[in-house]
Amino acid sequence: KFRAIADNSLMGIVLLESGIIQYMNNKMQDLLGFTLEEAQKWGPYNFVKYIYPDDQHVIAKYREEFYNPDSSY
C-alpha cells in the first residue's frame, strides 16, 4: 500500500537506512536526476550534498537526535 501511494505521489519521497538510500519514488528520481540504483552506490549520508545548503543543518540535527536521543543538539 505504501509503495502504491509513494510511487504516485507528486512529492519526492526517500527512505534511508543507516544513511543509505533504500527507496526513492519516481518524483524524487526526476527531481535529483538520478536513479535509485545510482543513488544506492553513494556512501552513507552522501545525499546531503544534494540538499540546499541552508537546509543541511536540519538533516544534521535529525541524524544527531536519532543516534543520540539524549543529546542537546
Side-chain angles (χ1 to χ4, degrees):
K1 193 168 189 170
F2 166 80
R3 181 169 230 125
I5 294 169
D7 284 346
N8 293 298
S9 176
L10 298 176
M11 294 180 58
I13 298 173
V14 174
L15 295 179
L16 303 170
E17 184 176 322
S18 300
I20 298 174
I21 295 174
Q22 299 298 319
Y23 169 82
M24 271 195 321
N25 70 349
N26 293 331
K27 183 64 174 182
M28 184 57 80
Q29 291 179 58
D30 291 343
L31 290 169
L32 291 177
F34 297 102
T35 66
L36 173 61
E37 293 75 22
E38 291 170 316
Q40 287 177 326
K41 294 176 184 174
W42 302 342
Y45 294 98
N46 198 23
F47 68 90
V48 173
K49 67 183 177 185
Y50 296 101
I51 297 172
Y52 186 70
D54 291 349
D55 294 334
Q56 290 180 5
H57 71 281
V58 174
I59 299 300
K61 178 183 176 195
Y62 288 143
R63 181 180 180 198
E64 179 66 26
E65 289 174 354
F66 180 81
Y67 287 109
N68 301 300
D70 296 328
S71 72
S72 57
Y73 184 80

